[in-house]
Amino acid sequence: MMAGEMPPRGEMEQLEKLFEVINLNPSLRRLFEAERRLGVIMEDIQRIVAEPLGELMK
């Protein structure tokens, strides 16, 4: 799964069920949402830094 491949169907269903159970806990739900937002911010920062560097390399 770490190599960019999709997990087998059974494993994917198991992960979805686990996510549903974890999502029932409000604290964990907030943690996962905060982690997702942090990921978006990190992607934005990387893009903001990389675009000007790409222009300099041209």
Side-chain angles (χ1 to χ4, degrees), residues 5-41:
E5 302 171 357
M6 289 296 293
R9 176 178 290 266
E11 190 175 326
M12 192 68 176
E13 290 172 357
Q14 188 177 18
L15 289 171
E16 288 172 357
K17 287 178 185 176
L18 181 59
F19 181 74
E20 288 174 9
V21 170
I22 289 172
N23 229 4
L24 294 175
N25 183 318
S27 296
L28 288 176
R29 186 174 43 239
R30 286 193 305 270
L31 174 67
F32 284 128
E33 180 59 24
E35 184 179 29
R36 186 195 65 76
R37 288 192 315 259
L38 178 60
V40 170
I41 291 169

Side-chain angles (χ1 to χ4, degrees), residues 42 44 49 56-57:
M42 295 300 291
D44 289 346
V49 169
L56 287 174
M57 301 299 275

Side-chain angles (χ1 to χ4, degrees), residues 45-58:
I45 291 170
Q46 183 177 3
R47 181 181 38 77
I48 289 166
V49 169
E51 284 178 358
L53 290 176
E55 293 295 321
L56 287 174
M57 301 299 275
K58 286 184 180 179

